[in-house]
Amino acid sequence: MAEGGDATRDETSGIREDPIAGIARNDGSIVVSLAGELDLYNAHEVREALLECCSEGPQRLVVDLSGVKFIDSTALGVLIEARTRMENRRAFLLAAPGLETKRALEISGLDRHFSVHDSLDAALAATL
């Protein structure tokens, strides 16, 4: 029985991805790439990363959502909070949301408040 329990723990221990897949800085822009499931359990990590990036005062902060499989209301709230920390709120852009993430933005009505772009390149090229 102990062996089975250990095997199960080993199979599930690394199942959750790090929500911060990467942070890139280039020419006054910061791109924060998020990944996996963004929810109550890791929203604090996303919050810390985004608020730290906002505090740098970038000309543009792009949140790349292409690797996000699921986003809940807690994580959506983190995006709202981060956007409010930007001096120019129009400089906070969302890029490449997948179908589920796009649907969450639409259902919540946040797609009308955020600048949402179909690709990272489109977000980086957008006029602010």
Side-chain angles (χ1 to χ4, degrees), residues 58-116:
Q59 294 172 358
R60 173 186 318 251
L61 194 152
V62 179
V63 180
D64 180 1
L65 299 168
S66 61
V68 175
K69 297 178 184 115
F70 172 81
I71 188 165
D72 76 357
S73 60
T74 306
L76 290 172
V78 167
L79 295 178
I80 293 166
E81 180 184 0
R83 182 176 176 261
T84 64
R85 300 291 179 98
M86 294 286 290
E87 189 174 319
N88 176 6
R89 291 183 182 172
R90 291 188 346 232
F92 187 91
L93 304 107
L94 303 180
L99 187 61
E100 291 296 321
T101 304
K102 187 178 275 193
R103 188 162 186 260
L105 290 166
E106 291 169 354
I107 288 170
S108 64
L110 292 175
D111 62 324
R112 295 186 301 267
H113 298 281
F114 284 109
S115 180
V116 182

